[in-house]
Amino acid sequence: MADHLKRTFLGLRALFLNLVLFLGGAALHAQEAAVAPRSADSESVTDADFLAAADEVLGQMSQITGLKLVTPLKKSLRSREEIRAYVIKQMNEEKNPEERYADQRSAEAFGLLPKGFDLDSFMVNVLTEQVEGLYDPKTREFYIADWSPLSDQRMVMAHELTHALEDQHFQIETWVKAARPNEDAELARDAVLEGSAMAAMVDYLMLGTGRSLKDLPDFDPGMLIGDLGSTPTLQKAPPFLKDTLIFPYLGGLTFSAAVMRNTGWSALAGVFEKPPVSTQQILHPGLYRSGKAPTIVSLPPVEKLLGNNWSKLDENTMGEFGWKEVLKQFLDNDRAKTLAAAWDGDRYTVFEQKQTKKLMLAARLHLDSEEHAARFFGQYSEALEKKYAERKNLLRRPNFFSFDTPEGGVFLDCLGDECVVLEGTTRSIFDAFTKALNWPLAPQPPEKLGSVPTKTAMIAIRGENIVAASGVDSKFPASYRAYALTLRAERQEASNRPFA
């Protein structure tokens, strides 16, 4: 669900975190790219000086990117209060309060945000705190923050004026929204915008050196961020929000550098003509070049299973970036990154019970192989146990795992190269869900097990002689072999039964 929250601030086109500035210059110097020093600004800089600097930088960015200015650009200086008012206005225009509430609750369902986290206030504060300048594609106007020194503003201008030039050639607002309703694909397009503007800013820093980003094969985009904990708002932010804010910039920069490595800025038009279809293609540019698209995944009509007491908050696609963020909440970063890379498509939905406000999450995930689906089952089982501190009635079988929590039952089931997870629901709803997918019936709790099917070998009581059964490793305890045999027989029998 990581992609869900990104829509809360998609379209703000803001350069935050004081990206690059002189830190970026020092980073590039470390890459043997000398940056010409800029003179210090006097305190007598006027509005006319800012606007003149913007015109100068605009001409330089046009030269760097090869994008000519089609129509004159509106430019204006804005105070911190005006920037804050603009941010709030953009948030309200992008999504109404109900939609933003759904974003927040959906993030809670995945464990990405703590319960009760005030996402609206956070976004307003962090963007007001960090914004140095921005381009508004709706009004086609460039805003400059009046509290920032002119030397710093030139870096901001390089980034935001790249957006302005791209907008005049590719209509960036319409282009990004064309990916809807797939939020993962929309985020991928946003990464193209922010990443290409970052690449242009790096080239701006290297003006006069005879080199550009494509000449730095070992360039590390992470050097451009600085200390995330240096700002009060971000210091308190959940890790997911930090990653979400940064991904379009750094992930997009890495993607842009890979795409433009051989041909330079002439490749940009091709990316707008054939945009990436997923965050997976941003994270792995080779998959973009090969044209690998994710599998389309669908869900059964969950609302029919739940009834009228539940309201649907959201249904969308997480993507590789989103699942990586979910896994990072409960596993280490390396495991999360490796496991998420096996993503090959997904679909999720979140419901809220009207009276109690409890959440129900259902997700179906397609992996790129059965081996990776089995690995996902093992590691996501671990993640679910870390996610829910209060657990009882654990049932663990090959490819199936469930337990009860105060919020409802949690179920994880994998079959072939797919896995489904339901959280905050009942066993009957889960069974109806998998039945609608035409999946075999999952193992039942021990007390519900009936007589042993005839095709299952006879298993003696613990302590008695055990008759060997074909296909069951004798190194496992007798009780486990009994359940494994029963599971195999029940699932084979169930797979032969037609479902409605």
Side-chain angles (χ1 to χ4, degrees):
M1 191 287 15
D3 316 303
H4 212 89
L5 289 185
K6 301 171 189 84
R7 304 288 72 77
T8 300
F9 43 85
L10 178 65
L12 290 178
R13 310 286 170 248
L15 182 61
F16 54 86
L17 301 176
N18 295 318
L19 286 171
V20 179
L21 302 183
F22 288 113
L23 173 65
L28 291 175
H29 184 75
Q31 295 284 342
E32 297 182 348
V35 179
R38 303 186 184 274
S39 60
D41 298 299
S42 67
E43 297 181 359
S44 60
V45 173
T46 65
D47 292 0
D49 293 325
F50 276 101
L51 298 177
D55 286 336
E56 178 186 352
V57 175
L58 180 60
Q60 292 169 318
M61 301 320 295
S62 177
Q63 179 184 357
I64 288 171
T65 62
L67 301 175
K68 295 182 179 180
L69 186 67
V70 178
T71 59
L73 180 65
K74 293 186 291 185
K75 303 175 290 294
S76 61
L77 282 162
R78 296 296 177 101
S79 67
R80 191 179 296 274
E81 291 73 22
E82 289 174 320
I83 292 289
R84 183 181 183 87
Y86 173 83
V87 168
I88 294 173
K89 178 176 177 289
Q90 284 290 91
M91 288 179 62
N92 290 331
E93 289 180 354
E94 186 68 24
K95 285 195 172 184
N96 60 42
E98 291 76 19
E99 291 172 320
R100 297 201 301 273
Y101 173 80
D103 289 347
Q104 179 175 325
R105 294 287 279 158
S106 296
E108 289 179 13
F110 276 96
L112 294 167
L113 289 179
K115 292 181 181 179
F117 184 83
D118 191 344
L119 182 60
D120 275 5
S121 295
F122 169 83
M123 289 309 306
V124 171
N125 291 336
V126 73
L127 289 175
T128 303
E129 182 179 79
Q130 300 298 336
V131 169
E132 302 254 352
L134 54 87
Y135 172 72
D136 183 356
K138 291 186 176 68
T139 62
R140 297 188 174 182
E141 183 174 3
F142 171 53
Y143 300 148
I144 310 172
D146 64 4
W147 65 84
S148 182
L150 183 55
S151 58
D152 291 355
Q153 280 291 1
R154 288 181 180 273
M155 308 303 174
V156 177
M157 292 174 184
H159 185 105
E160 297 304 324
L161 292 174
T162 299
H163 287 319
L165 290 169
E166 290 175 335
D167 190 33
Q168 292 196 359
H169 286 263
F170 308 113
Q171 294 75 51
I172 60 176
E173 185 82 359
T174 302
W175 182 79
V176 169
K177 290 183 177 180
R180 295 182 178 180
N182 186 327
E183 293 183 341
D184 183 57
E186 191 176 357
L187 175 64
R189 293 191 182 207
D190 192 47
V192 170
L193 293 182
E194 301 302 348
S196 60
M198 289 290 288
M201 187 163 54
V202 172
D203 280 2
Y204 172 76
L205 286 165
M206 300 178 69
L207 277 178
T209 67
R211 307 180 69 188
S212 65
L213 180 62
K214 66 184 181 66
D215 300 317
L216 302 176
D218 299 324
F219 177 71
D220 179 12
M223 292 188 297
L224 301 180
I225 285 297
D227 183 9
L228 287 180
S230 63
T231 59
T233 304
L234 281 177
Q235 195 170 28
K236 302 174 184 177
F240 163 64
L241 288 181
K242 294 179 184 178
D243 293 345
T244 297
L245 286 166
I246 294 168
F247 172 73
Y249 293 81
L250 293 197
L253 173 57
T254 301
F255 173 82
S256 297
V259 170
M260 297 189 297
R261 180 154 294 148
N262 297 322
T263 58
W265 283 97
S266 62
L268 182 63
V271 178
F272 277 94
E273 292 172 5
K274 183 185 176 182
V277 297
S278 67
T279 55
Q280 184 175 67
Q281 290 188 343
I282 296 294
L283 291 164
H284 311 281
L287 297 181
Y288 168 75
R289 287 190 289 265
S290 68
K292 180 185 179 298
T295 299
I296 297 175
V297 178
S298 61
L299 294 174
V302 180
E303 50 269 32
K304 293 183 178 180
L305 305 178
L306 295 176
N308 297 328
N309 291 329
W310 293 80
S311 299
K312 186 175 182 178
L313 296 179
D314 182 36
E315 180 177 340
N316 220 286
T317 300
M318 289 278 288
E320 179 178 337
F321 174 80
W323 279 105
K324 178 170 66 72
E325 289 301 310
V326 171
L327 293 164
K328 277 177 61 176
Q329 307 302 308
F330 312 104
L331 306 176
D332 62 81
N333 183 61
D334 289 341
R335 282 201 294 167
K337 183 178 179 179
T338 300
L339 198 57
W343 176 89
D344 191 42
D346 77 273
R347 195 73 176 168
Y348 75 88
T349 187
V350 178
F351 283 79
E352 181 185 67
Q353 195 173 46
K354 295 178 180 178
Q355 291 79 19
T356 64
K357 303 301 180 183
K358 286 186 176 181
L359 297 173
M360 197 286 290
L361 165 67
R364 183 182 184 186
L365 181 65
H366 191 275
L367 287 306
D368 60 13
S369 68
E370 292 190 17
E371 177 186 355
H372 286 143
R375 185 174 300 170
F376 178 86
F377 172 81
Q379 298 195 32
Y380 201 59
S381 298
E382 178 185 341
L384 288 171
E385 288 191 272
K386 292 180 178 179
K387 182 177 180 179
Y388 294 95
E390 296 184 53
R391 304 182 305 276
K392 63 180 181 179
N393 301 326
L394 270 72
L395 179 62
R396 197 187 305 271
R397 299 289 182 268
N399 299 328
F400 178 73
F401 180 53
S402 71
F403 54 82
D404 294 326
T405 76
E407 290 79 29
V410 175
F411 307 89
L412 173 63
D413 195 10
C414 294
L415 184 66
D417 55 7
E418 286 195 316
C419 293
V420 297
V421 57
L422 273 72
E423 303 175 36
T425 188
T426 64
R427 177 60 196 248
S428 61
I429 296 296
F430 169 77
D431 286 341
F433 182 89
T434 54
K435 181 179 180 181
L437 294 177
N438 211 26
W439 282 28
L441 184 68
Q444 297 292 321
E447 63 270 19
K448 294 183 179 179
L449 290 175
S451 57
V452 178
T454 56
K455 64 182 73 177
T456 302
M458 294 299 294
I459 304 295
I461 303 296
R462 181 181 301 176
E464 299 181 4
N465 294 330
I466 299 175
V467 179
S470 174
V472 180
D473 196 331
S474 61
K475 69 183 179 181
F476 291 107
S479 59
Y480 181 89
R481 297 203 304 274
Y483 287 138
L485 288 166
T486 303
L487 168 64
R488 180 182 303 159
E490 285 186 346
R491 286 214 139 180
Q492 181 61 43
E493 182 179 327
S495 65
N496 295 327
R497 295 198 301 266
F499 288 94

